[in-house]
Amino acid sequence: APQPPAAKTPAAPLSGLSGMKMAAVLSGPVNDAGWNANAYQALTEARDKYGLEIAYTEYVKVEDAAQVMRDYADAGFQIIMAHGNEYSDQISEVAREYPDLHFIQTNGSEAGIPNLYTVGFAIGEGGYLMGWLACKISQTGKVAFIIGEQYPAVQYQAQMVGQACADLGLQAKVLETYVGSWTDPTKTKELTKAALEQGVDVIILMADSGDSGAIEAVREAYAAGSTSLRIISWVKDKNHLAPEFVLGGWTEDVSREIDATLQLIAAGEPGGHFAFGLAEGVVYPNPMYGLVPAEVESEFNQLLQDYLQDPSIFPNLVVRRDL
Amino acid sequence: MLNDLLSIFASPEFYQAVLRMATPLLLAAMGGLVAERAGLVTFSMEGMMLMGAVGGVIGSHLTGSVWGGLLLAVIFGMLAGLTYAVMAVSIGAHQIVTCVALNMGAMGLTSVLFGLVFGGGSGAVVQDVIQVASLSPWKIPLLGEIPILGPIFFNHIPLVYLAFLTVPAVWFLLYRTTWGLKIRAVGEHPHAADALGISVVRVRYLTLLFAGAFAGLAGAFLSIGVLNTWQENMTSGRGFIAYTAIVFGKWQPLGVLLGALLFGLADALQLRVQTMNIAIPYQAMVAFPYVVTLLALILFSGKASWPAASGQAFKREGK
Amino acid sequence: MLNDLLSIFASPEFYQAVLRMATPLLLAAMGGLVAERAGLVTFSMEGMMLMGAVGGVIGSHLTGSVWGGLLLAVIFGMLAGLTYAVMAVSIGAHQIVTCVALNMGAMGLTSVLFGLVFGGGSGAVVQDVIQVASLSPWKIPLLGEIPILGPIFFNHIPLVYLAFLTVPAVWFLLYRTTWGLKIRAVGEHPHAADALGISVVRVRYLTLLFAGAFAGLAGAFLSIGVLNTWQENMTSGRGFIAYTAIVFGKWQPLGVLLGALLFGLADALQLRVQTMNIAIPYQAMVAFPYVVTLLALILFSGKASWPAASGQAFKREGK
Amino acid sequence: MPELLRLEKIQKTFPGVLANDNVDLTIQRGEIHALLGENGSGKTTLMNCVFGVYRPTRGQIYWKGQPMEIHQAHDAIALGMGMVHQHFMLIPQLTVAENVILGLKSPREPFLNLEAVARQIFETGQRFHLNVDPHAPVWSLPVGAQQRVEILKVLYRQAELLILDEPTAVLTPGEVEELFAVLKELARAGLSIIFITHKLEEVMAICDQVTVLRNGRVVASSPVDQTTPQDLARSMVGREVALNLQKPPAQPGEVVLSVQNLRALGSRGLPALNNISFEIRAGEILGIAGVDGNGQTELGDVIAGLRRAASGRVTIAGQDTLNRPPREILDLNFAYIPPDRQRTGLLMELPIAENLVAKTITRPPFSRRGFLQQAEINRFAAQAVSEYEIKTPQASLPVRLLSGGNQQKVVLAREVSRRPRLLIASQPTRGLDIGASEYVHRQMLAARAAGAAILLISTDLEEILSLSDRIAVLYEGQIMGILATADAPIHKIGEMMAGVFRQPGGQIAA
Ligand SMILES: Nc1ncnc2c1ncn2[C@@H]1O[C@H](COP(=O)(O)OP(=O)(O)OP(=O)(O)O)[C@@H](O)[C@H]1O
Ligand SMILES: Nc1ncnc2c1ncn2[C@@H]1O[C@H](COP(=O)(O)OP(=O)(O)OP(=O)(O)O)[C@@H](O)[C@H]1O
Ligand SMILES: [Mg+2]
Ligand SMILES: [Mg+2]
């Protein structure tokens, strides 16, 4: 199985971070088992790794964010993070007010403020590689991408899924389907059932807390004899939820995203917009747990190696760093 | 495209899905209907269902049995109903606002409860998806074997049967028992009922407990019926749809059944249209149930048919 | 810890934040109050605000001026009000359900509208964060210079002043003008009002347009007042809180002001307590506004004080 | 005759009001006991104390000689009392049988056994001439039948005391006759009846004993055969009352209201007005007689624009007004006293003052450019309150706090003070005491003298006969005939009301 590539170690010493205070502005609770939980995990990992002192505020409405960040700035925090695109204006404003402090925004796009690091994931690699895998292992020639809601980045990933299949000359049909909610496992289950009725046998699953519903639907069909069904999980490796058919899939690793950003800061790199991809080890494929034919797995690994050496081997894989 | 649509309507799985998706709506709506007929606005079913959903998972986890889960779901739902009753019946608070507060409160409370039980203590972050025992289908012996109809109607988890059985049961309760008569009297004219020695307060408490119990079952259907886990806010609006089904059905059991089926159908259809790659934008499909609601409001409005004392606090005068 | 808490109450920024956070609630609630007094349930304010929010951004973008944004916000809000009026007043649909449908509909519609304008076509997903012209604070010339009080009260964007000015204005409207008398008559007793030659339909349409306009401004406050962009579902429940403030305030302008301030205060305090790392569990702090609501419901309930015809469709009889 | 109920020194105060003061009252078995008094004299309050709706501030209630504490209506019912409230306590959406069984145990508890109830309703109905279809929903019944349901409810509960609060106020003469027969039958069977009324002739007709309240005190109590209507009226009002009106001859002017071939549907979608035609001239009163439910309410509402008509033609002072908005019709100087003052006549939650100016509020001096001129409103209200003798501490109180009679005076003051060209008065004295009724009648005659055309719709035949210049009889939505009052034999009107006689040669008779 492929191991996620190790993050590149930066040249500059990291000692500068030790003892610094870092605070985060979050839109929801840290136990949402998703978006904010990831941020929370990133914070605690950074604390353990660099000896940071950390703090966070949950349920911050956009219009209050500036004030919350100012409060942290005034309380002596040197690194202030806003988790989410919605805080763009607020963090830009406060970053200008406190030029000596460092500001991090996930999913941001602002590039012109020297102490503001807007960071995101490179979009496209995941869709392309997982699309390749899905179409390759599908026996029925039908693959479904089950998504919570329609966002630009997600749509682009879906586009890349289809692109990969087409590029490989695979005749698989890719269904792009939306639950209409990130928090509705019941409906996700029904959507999955409907997809299975259509003969779909591989599902790329990106429905957040709806994921459990899709897994449940496949579990039932699997128990009824459809043992060739596979789910490719997304955002995190969810193999442990159903080891018999859930592949590790694709990870977008917030902890590594933050870590990479902290390293930029420690290295004295000026702010700007950064999108981390496969090369930086921030997004990566997970193990397949023997759920795909061995030859497919080794072909995948080979392609991955080749791509890391020379991205031009996939001319139609256009990585976007602006979404 | 027309062929694709027709093929949806030709498949038994579609009708099975319709029944499945109508079930939580029907359970909640039948419970709510009884309280509505006693003059209570049951816009709170979303919160009550959520309580039932978390109760189901916790009960199933603690007792190791899905029946324990159902029991706790009913208890949690009834506790939510009780809270409503204390606020709206005893204290006389504004019903709609009480419902809103209850729904919001349930969202927070269920998270905390879940964290307490599965996170090993207060506020702890639950890192993993929890799995518990869940209901499996009961195939009805002979009926289940009938071709086509068998799988559609007679191979479901027990709560599905229960949901559909509540329709005649609630009808009987409302129109053929003295309890039902009292409920209707309290909903239409609480002062007249009071003058005849009917305890408006008791009737309203009891109907809210009933509504809570059924909303709890509806929630359990989601958490340990369809799934075997719990997710924050997993009812995602089904309580509101159930409420709408009551209005759609003009406060009559059969009408409510029709409403629940219609919403179930709209949803099942919507999902299938997506998987058939039929060229209808998904936003339009997601909006479909609401369009149906609006149409229903327009078509079936006319003379107000809701219980005359709906939403009104009852207080005896001049003591 | 007590010191920390005291330091919050000693900072002018805190009070500034309270006013800022109360503003959208107050704008929406004052508009809603007028329609409520005409016998309409304005549980729809969430959706109306959302329409205003997207209208503000679109208007600001298309005209390049924030005033254009405010204008379109008002127009969008009024369109939402008009939709409600058509459903509930002309067709006589159930008000609460109409509100629910409207809120859901607005969530979808605003997304689509935003996509249409900024995504260059139907259904397109907007690729970027859109930024448009937004309101900046107006420091009131002399008053703004007063030490402490100046920054707290007299250095806000114009909508903040407007919000607080609506309180006496709505009071005056309701109690000192013939329009207000008509509104109250329609809300208390539509049939009697009809017999007195007051057009129930017209009064209800007008109050809903009024409510829509103010909800629109409240939405614009969020999108082009505090921010200069739009986010899906960016009102996040403020419409419901505004509705609660009306109930809290017992349908009186001053009471509603108090309610809006209380919710603003609860929210501002909650955030500050978190950033000061004061050892109060976050659940408690987040739940604070709802606890306040529940307490308010308990303390201020008593005799039903809402307009007697609240929620009732009016239809003149005969054919 | 042994005593059934005895009240001893009952006192009931409300904040600022002494509603009952030191009231002693004894009810014997099998007697019909009249309770008389002006509006607001404390009759309803006293009965509410007996029935557990209110707790007396002081005093003692004895039931069959035993002192009793009655905490709620249910206790009173359990003892064997039954009350028919002036505003019926029936649930319109339920059937007769359901209303009757409501709150009682079913023979097959918890299952309803409506057939058994229906049988018993039928039997009781046979015995006391209280016929009503047990399976009809109550909303579908005429008022008289609803009242029979209320009485059936009481009888079904084996009551020994029946309290009737102004039972005849809503009944037609025929229904009153039926009711009286029933009451006599019940008294003969041993029931005691407390009968609240404002009509002296009713007291004289069926009661055994009469008690008069004034300002909450008992001012007279005696057997009926030892008193006269004049005595009773004097005790009630505290002064002499003219029981007969002096009406100068009419001086009809030009036609003000013309109704031609009017048709309209009623609330249940059935024809309520069927080809109605008549005219009224300035300075005359046309009385519409008829049994309640024959289209009276619909007629008033259609002319006022409150109900849409299907076809026909209505003109007021030459202007077409059919299906025009109420505002336009009002602007023709039209005044309307609706039959249901609480539903359509008054804004119950709003102050008396605002109600008094409600129809002229948009004009000076009560408002200028949309702004209310509160001082002017108050001045006018204070004047109206004293002129029309509206009993209230201040005009800023909500109308809902006034007694029925005083509420009606607010309506009357508002309508008559505008010096209308056309006045429709629908049941203008329903529920009013003699003093108040007399007052209303005098005001109507004054309006007539001032040149108003008046359409008087009333189910009280006495009222019609004493006020009208001409009388039209309405039966099943049709006018059976129009007669000049002077040559209208009562028996002929009665036959028309019952639909057995129709005036030949068309409807119009001048
Ligand atoms: N709940 C109450 N609160 C305050 N005052 C009251 C209340 N009920 C009755 N009253 C007062 O008590 C007095 C007696 O009223 P009551 O209704 O008993 O008169 P009534 O004789 O029944 O009049 P009517 O002939 O109009 O029916 C009135 O002056 C009224 O203002
Ligand atoms: N809350 C209250 N406060 C003060 N007085 C009240 C209150 N409620 C009722 N009353 C008084 O109670 C009396 C009886 O009211 P009720 O509604 O029974 O009218 P009524 O006399 O029966 O009139 P009607 O003859 O039209 O039915 C009135 O005189 C009114 O002043
Ligand atoms: Mg009375
Ligand atoms: Mg009375």
Side-chain angles (χ1 to χ4, degrees):
Chain A
Q3 288 305 310
K8 286 180 189 165
T9 39
L14 293 176
S15 55
L17 287 173
S18 174
M20 285 180 112
K21 295 168 76 174
M22 175 175 181
V25 167
L26 306 176
S27 58
V30 295
N31 67 348
D32 64 359
W35 179 247
N36 293 296
N38 292 339
Y40 174 73
Q41 197 181 339
L43 279 180
T44 52
E45 284 180 17
R47 176 191 63 201
D48 298 344
K49 185 167 174 187
Y50 302 116
L52 296 173
E53 188 182 319
I54 61 164
Y56 55 89
T57 297
E58 302 167 295
Y59 291 105
V60 179
K61 289 181 190 131
V62 174
E63 64 270 27
D64 307 324
Q67 190 57 45
V68 172
M69 287 188 273
R70 279 188 201 106
D71 287 349
Y72 278 128
D74 294 341
F77 285 80
Q78 299 97 337
I79 304 172
I80 295 169
M81 167 175 138
H83 192 42
N85 172 278
E86 63 265 37
Y87 301 116
S88 298
D89 286 348
Q90 278 61 28
I91 200 163
S92 302
E93 187 182 328
V94 180
R96 287 201 181 92
E97 289 171 21
Y98 296 88
D100 298 335
L101 307 182
H102 297 288
F103 290 84
I104 303 174
Q105 186 195 12
T106 53
N107 284 11
S109 56
E110 175 68 54
I113 303 174
N115 61 330
L116 172 61
Y117 302 78
T118 57
V119 299
F121 300 112
I123 304 296
E125 290 170 333
Y128 199 88
L129 289 171
M130 292 301 111
W132 181 93
L133 183 62
C135 294
K136 196 81 180 172
I137 60 175
S138 172
Q139 297 173 6
T140 60
K142 281 194 177 171
V143 170
F145 194 8
I146 293 184
I147 304 164
E149 287 177 53
Q150 206 168 37
Y151 287 158
V154 173
Q155 264 197 320
Y156 188 67
Q157 296 283 27
Q159 189 185 323
M160 283 296 117
V161 170
Q163 187 68 52
C165 295
D167 285 357
L168 292 173
L170 297 170
Q171 292 306 307
K173 194 162 142 195
V174 178
L175 299 174
E176 180 184 343
T177 60
Y178 295 91
V179 179
S181 160
W182 296 104
T183 61
D184 195 342
T186 309
K187 207 156 165 185
T188 311
K189 181 178 178 184
E190 290 293 347
L191 180 56
T192 309
K193 276 177 166 279
L196 296 182
E197 284 165 27
Q198 297 305 316
V200 165
D201 65 344
V202 180
I203 290 165
I204 307 174
L205 182 58
M206 195 201 294
D208 214 354
S209 41
D211 284 359
S212 54
I215 292 174
E216 203 49 38
V218 172
R219 196 196 307 282
E220 285 170 12
Y222 192 92
S226 307
T227 53
S228 61
L229 298 180
R230 295 291 180 267
I231 286 178
I232 297 174
S233 56
W234 195 287
V235 175
K236 269 186 181 165
D237 182 345
K238 297 197 170 175
N239 168 267
H240 62 286
L241 293 179
E244 62 277 30
F245 56 80
V246 176
L247 280 70
W250 188 256
T251 287
E252 292 176 342
D253 193 326
V254 177
S255 293
R256 290 196 184 184
E257 179 190 25
I258 302 301
D259 189 56
T261 313
L262 288 174
Q263 291 183 33
L264 288 174
I265 292 172
E269 190 98 17
H273 177 69
F274 305 89
F276 306 111
L278 254 177
E280 292 84 8
V282 169
V283 298
Y284 47 82
N286 295 315
M288 300 182 192
Y289 301 102
L291 293 173
V292 303
E295 64 277 13
V296 174
E297 181 162 357
S298 54
E299 189 181 351
F300 180 89
N301 288 337
Q302 191 55 52
L303 279 172
L304 183 65
Q305 292 305 323
D306 294 349
Y307 171 73
L308 282 170
Q309 298 296 321
D310 175 15
S312 69
I313 67 161
F314 295 138
N316 288 326
L317 167 48
V318 179
V319 178
R320 292 192 57 175
R321 297 180 187 270
D322 57 341
L323 289 178
Chain B
M1 175 166 156
L2 196 65
N3 271 343
D4 285 341
L5 272 177
L6 286 179
S7 81
I8 291 180
F9 283 99
S11 83
E13 287 87 2
F14 172 63
Y15 298 99
Q16 239 187 336
V18 171
L19 295 193
R20 229 170 23 232
M21 304 188 82
T23 293
L25 306 179
L26 195 53
L27 282 170
M30 279 295 146
L33 173 60
V34 172
E36 284 273 339
R37 291 300 291 260
L40 297 152
V41 172
T42 60
F43 193 64
S44 56
M45 274 178 315
E46 181 77 8
M48 292 173 165
M49 277 175 79
L50 208 50
M51 289 293 291
V54 84
V57 172
I58 293 177
S60 184
H61 171 74
L62 294 183
T63 66
S65 146
V66 71
W67 302 107
L70 285 182
L71 183 68
L72 201 66
V74 168
I75 293 176
F76 274 25
M78 288 172 87
L79 283 176
L82 190 67
T83 312
Y84 187 147
V86 170
M87 295 294 302
V89 181
S90 296
I91 297 173
H94 190 265
Q95 290 188 11
I96 305 177
V97 173
T98 304
C99 288
V100 175
L102 213 78
N103 290 338
M104 306 256 193
M107 239 199 265
L109 184 60
T110 48
S111 276
V112 171
L113 282 173
F114 185 73
L116 278 176
V117 174
F118 295 99
S122 144
V125 177
V126 180
Q127 301 283 1
D128 247 321
V129 177
I130 298 300
Q131 300 211 358
V132 296
S134 66
L135 287 164
S136 31
W138 283 1
K139 193 179 201 171
I140 308 256
L142 289 167
L143 297 168
E145 306 300 334
I146 306 173
I148 303 175
L149 295 182
I152 295 184
F153 292 110
F154 304 112
N155 190 6
H156 284 284
I157 63 169
L159 286 179
V160 176
Y161 307 127
L162 177 67
F164 286 86
L165 288 178
T166 55
V167 180
V170 164
W171 180 87
F172 193 87
L173 170 74
L174 285 177
Y175 297 106
R176 287 291 177 270
T177 70
T178 53
W179 305 322
L181 184 60
K182 286 181 189 173
I183 291 169
R184 287 182 289 142
V186 165
E188 296 289 351
H189 202 332
H191 286 280
D194 180 57
L196 293 171
I198 296 170
S199 167
V200 176
V201 170
R202 202 173 64 201
V203 168
R204 289 193 167 174
Y205 262 81
L206 287 175
T207 58
L208 280 174
L209 289 176
F210 184 90
F214 274 84
L217 285 176
F221 176 84
L222 299 177
S223 66
I224 57 173
V226 181
L227 305 172
N228 51 12
T229 185
W230 188 80
Q231 298 287 347
E232 198 145 324
N233 195 21
M234 69 183 296
T235 47
S236 21
R238 281 183 188 75
F240 302 128
I241 306 252
Y243 177 74
T244 309
I246 296 177
V247 177
F248 180 95
K250 297 202 138 192
W251 287 265
Q252 302 293 335
L254 265 179
V256 175
L257 168 66
L258 203 74
L261 283 175
L262 191 65
F263 287 117
L265 184 130
D267 237 9
L269 187 62
Q270 184 257 107
L271 294 174
R272 266 164 192 74
V273 166
Q274 284 199 61
T275 61
M276 312 221 32
N277 252 349
I278 297 178
I280 303 177
Y282 111 98
Q283 285 91 345
M285 292 312 307
V286 171
F288 183 41
Y290 304 111
V291 174
V292 171
T293 311
L294 278 177
L295 277 182
L297 283 177
I298 294 174
L299 293 177
F300 302 107
S301 59
K303 191 136 181 66
S305 50
W306 49 89
S310 184
Q312 285 170 26
F314 168 78
K315 273 240 155 89
R316 216 178 269 155
E317 292 198 65
K319 272 283 137 95
Chain C
M1 177 167 152
L2 196 66
N3 271 344
D4 284 341
L5 270 178
L6 286 179
S7 81
I8 291 178
F9 283 100
S11 83
E13 285 87 2
F14 172 64
Y15 297 98
Q16 236 185 338
V18 170
L19 295 193
R20 224 172 28 233
M21 304 184 80
T23 293
L25 307 179
L26 195 53
L27 281 170
M30 280 294 146
L33 172 61
V34 170
E36 285 274 339
R37 290 301 291 261
L40 297 151
V41 171
T42 59
F43 193 63
S44 56
M45 273 179 317
E46 181 77 8
M48 292 174 166
M49 276 174 78
L50 209 50
M51 289 292 292
V54 84
V57 173
I58 294 178
S60 185
H61 172 73
L62 294 183
T63 66
S65 146
V66 70
W67 302 108
L70 286 182
L71 184 68
L72 201 66
V74 167
I75 292 175
F76 275 24
M78 289 173 86
L79 284 176
L82 190 66
T83 312
Y84 187 147
V86 170
M87 294 294 302
V89 180
S90 297
I91 297 173
H94 191 264
Q95 289 189 11
I96 305 177
V97 173
T98 304
C99 288
V100 175
L102 213 79
N103 291 337
M104 306 256 194
M107 239 198 267
L109 185 61
T110 48
S111 280
V112 171
L113 282 174
F114 186 72
L116 278 176
V117 174
F118 294 100
S122 143
V125 173
V126 181
Q127 305 283 356
D128 253 324
V129 178
I130 298 301
Q131 301 214 352
V132 297
S134 66
L135 287 164
S136 29
W138 285 0
K139 195 176 198 174
I140 308 253
L142 288 167
L143 298 168
E145 307 300 336
I146 306 174
I148 302 177
L149 295 183
I152 295 183
F153 293 111
F154 304 113
N155 190 7
H156 285 284
I157 63 168
L159 287 179
V160 177
Y161 306 127
L162 177 66
F164 286 86
L165 287 178
T166 54
V167 180
V170 165
W171 180 87
F172 194 87
L173 169 73
L174 285 177
Y175 297 106
R176 287 290 178 270
T177 68
T178 54
W179 306 316
L181 186 63
K182 287 181 187 176
I183 291 168
R184 286 182 290 141
V186 166
E188 295 291 350
H189 231 312
H191 284 280
D194 186 44
L196 293 171
I198 299 169
S199 167
V200 176
V201 170
R202 202 173 63 197
V203 167
R204 289 192 167 174
Y205 262 82
L206 287 175
T207 58
L208 279 174
L209 289 175
F210 184 90
F214 273 84
L217 285 176
F221 176 84
L222 298 176
S223 67
I224 55 172
V226 182
L227 305 172
N228 51 14
T229 187
W230 187 79
Q231 301 281 343
E232 200 144 320
N233 196 20
M234 69 182 300
T235 47
S236 42
R238 281 183 191 76
F240 302 129
I241 306 248
Y243 178 73
T244 309
I246 296 177
V247 177
F248 179 95
K250 299 201 133 191
W251 287 265
Q252 302 293 336
L254 265 178
V256 175
L257 168 66
L258 203 72
L261 283 175
L262 192 65
F263 288 116
L265 184 131
D267 232 13
L269 187 61
Q270 183 255 106
L271 287 170
R272 267 165 193 75
V273 166
Q274 284 199 62
T275 58
M276 310 219 40
N277 251 346
I278 296 177
I280 303 178
Y282 90 96
Q283 284 94 342
M285 290 315 304
V286 171
F288 185 39
Y290 303 111
V291 173
V292 171
T293 311
L294 281 177
L295 276 182
L297 284 178
I298 294 172
L299 292 177
F300 302 106
S301 60
K303 188 135 181 65
S305 50
W306 49 85
S310 185
Q312 285 170 26
F314 168 79
K315 270 236 157 91
R316 209 180 275 156
E317 292 195 85
K319 246 283 118 66
Chain D
M1 278 196 295
E3 93 177 27
L4 181 67
L5 173 76
R6 181 155 53 87
L7 309 184
E8 205 176 83
K9 302 210 178 342
I10 295 290
Q11 190 198 58
K12 177 67 188 174
T13 55
F14 295 108
V17 183
L18 182 57
N20 290 134
D21 186 16
N22 227 14
V23 174
D24 289 329
L25 180 70
T26 304
I27 308 292
Q28 311 287 350
R29 282 184 194 274
E31 83 172 354
I32 303 182
H33 194 128
L35 203 52
L36 272 176
E38 290 190 280
N39 293 122
S41 59
K43 306 179 296 291
T44 302
T45 304
L46 185 65
M47 289 306 108
N48 282 335
C49 286
V50 170
F51 209 64
V53 177
Y54 295 149
R55 297 289 297 280
T57 322
R58 227 187 284 146
Q60 182 64 51
I61 299 172
Y62 296 89
W63 179 252
K64 299 180 181 170
Q66 300 298 313
M68 286 293 164
E69 291 272 314
I70 302 172
H71 295 277
Q72 48 176 340
H74 192 49
D75 299 343
I77 294 171
L79 285 176
M81 301 185 201
M83 181 150 165
V84 178
H85 296 266
Q86 187 176 347
H87 302 122
F88 297 153
M89 287 292 218
L90 293 171
I91 298 172
Q93 293 78 4
L94 304 186
T95 66
V96 170
E98 285 175 330
N99 266 286
V100 168
I101 186 82
L102 184 60
L104 298 179
K105 285 248 177 296
S106 158
R108 285 195 282 140
E109 186 72 15
F111 304 113
L112 277 178
N113 189 354
L114 290 176
E115 277 317 310
V117 180
R119 246 188 334 272
Q120 197 165 341
I121 289 174
F122 181 76
E123 279 162 19
T124 313
Q126 287 283 303
R127 175 155 171 231
F128 297 109
H129 311 291
L130 283 163
N131 297 323
V132 44
D133 173 8
H135 297 300
V138 160
W139 61 259
S140 72
L141 300 176
V143 181
Q146 294 192 11
Q147 190 173 60
R148 291 199 289 276
V149 178
E150 282 281 26
I151 295 174
L152 278 166
K153 242 168 80 180
V154 174
L155 297 180
Y156 195 91
R157 285 163 172 73
Q158 316 268 318
E160 294 170 81
L161 173 67
L162 172 62
I163 303 171
L164 295 157
D165 193 351
E166 297 185 38
T168 57
V170 291
L171 297 187
T172 61
E175 285 173 326
V176 170
E177 287 305 315
E178 287 173 31
L179 175 69
F180 284 178
V182 171
L183 295 184
K184 282 181 186 152
E185 194 70 39
L186 291 174
R188 205 170 305 135
L191 249 84
S192 307
I193 296 165
I194 300 180
F195 186 87
I196 301 178
T197 185
H198 292 296
K199 295 180 184 155
L200 303 178
E201 70 274 21
E202 295 176 359
V203 175
M204 306 314 289
I206 61 157
C207 295
D208 306 307
Q209 185 79 17
V210 53
T211 297
V212 182
L213 290 183
R214 191 164 78 226
N215 296 330
R217 291 165 194 265
V218 175
V219 290
S221 189
S222 74
V224 165
D225 48 23
Q226 292 170 26
T227 185
T228 66
Q230 284 299 341
D231 287 342
L232 291 175
R234 202 181 314 110
S235 338
M236 272 168 65
V237 188
R239 63 180 163 87
E240 288 293 339
V241 188
L243 291 180
N244 284 312
L245 277 175
Q246 293 307 310
K247 188 175 65 151
Q251 317 231 304
E254 79 285 15
V255 170
V256 175
L257 172 69
S258 159
V259 174
Q260 304 295 334
N261 308 105
L262 186 62
R263 291 175 193 276
L265 298 182
S267 303
R268 284 165 231 155
L270 302 173
L273 296 178
N274 193 356
N275 203 20
I276 298 243
S277 302
F278 62 83
E279 282 180 347
I280 310 179
R281 294 173 178 275
E284 72 162 352
I285 299 181
L286 173 68
I288 302 277
V291 178
D292 205 11
N294 276 285
Q296 289 94 331
T297 309
E298 288 84 355
L299 179 60
D301 282 354
V302 165
I303 296 172
L306 300 181
R307 172 182 291 278
R308 294 189 61 79
S311 65
R313 184 175 149 90
V314 174
T315 59
I316 296 177
Q319 301 251 29
D320 266 307
T321 61
L322 191 70
N323 293 343
R324 304 300 307 160
R327 179 80 255 167
E328 273 182 35
I329 301 175
L330 288 178
D331 286 344
L332 296 171
N333 203 359
F334 161 75
Y336 186 36
I337 299 176
D340 183 344
R341 52 184 168 262
Q342 301 203 342
R343 186 173 138 89
T344 38
L346 292 166
L347 301 161
M348 298 296 283
E349 300 299 322
L350 267 54
I352 298 166
E354 263 82 344
N355 270 284
L356 282 167
V357 297
K359 277 190 178 165
T360 36
I361 192 85
T362 51
R363 300 202 197 109
F366 302 128
S367 69
R368 291 180 201 282
R369 291 196 200 82
F371 300 119
L372 295 177
Q373 304 297 311
Q374 202 64 43
E376 283 298 328
I377 296 172
N378 292 344
R379 206 187 48 72
F380 176 86
Q383 191 189 326
V385 163
S386 78
E387 193 176 319
Y388 289 82
E389 296 165 15
I390 299 166
K391 248 194 248 166
T392 173
Q394 63 202 101
S396 59
L397 293 179
V399 163
R400 130 181 93 77
L401 297 181
L402 294 180
S403 78
N406 284 301
Q407 290 177 4
Q408 187 70 334
K409 284 183 181 173
V410 173
V411 177
L412 186 83
R414 181 181 70 209
E415 300 299 327
V416 174
S417 67
R418 292 164 51 224
R419 306 197 141 270
R421 168 155 44 184
L422 171 65
L423 169 67
I424 298 186
S426 196
Q427 319 292 0
T429 58
R430 189 181 265 180
L432 265 55
D433 63 42
I434 327 177
S437 297
E438 183 208 357
Y439 185 84
V440 171
H441 290 162
R442 274 196 278 117
Q443 289 297 327
M444 287 178 60
L445 288 179
R448 166 179 175 263
I454 299 178
L455 180 65
L456 169 65
I457 302 175
S458 176
T459 48
D460 182 345
L461 195 51
E462 283 299 316
E463 180 169 64
I464 295 277
L465 286 169
S466 61
L467 285 177
S468 312
D469 299 309
R470 288 181 300 137
I471 299 174
V473 181
L474 202 56
Y475 173 73
E476 293 197 338
Q478 295 182 314
I479 288 186
M480 304 302 284
I482 300 184
L483 310 162
T485 309
D487 50 43
I490 301 233
H491 74 269
K492 202 154 132 198
I493 295 178
E495 285 173 2
M496 286 178 169
M497 285 168 72
V500 292
F501 174 76
R502 181 171 185 148
Q503 195 176 47
Q507 303 188 333
I508 310 297

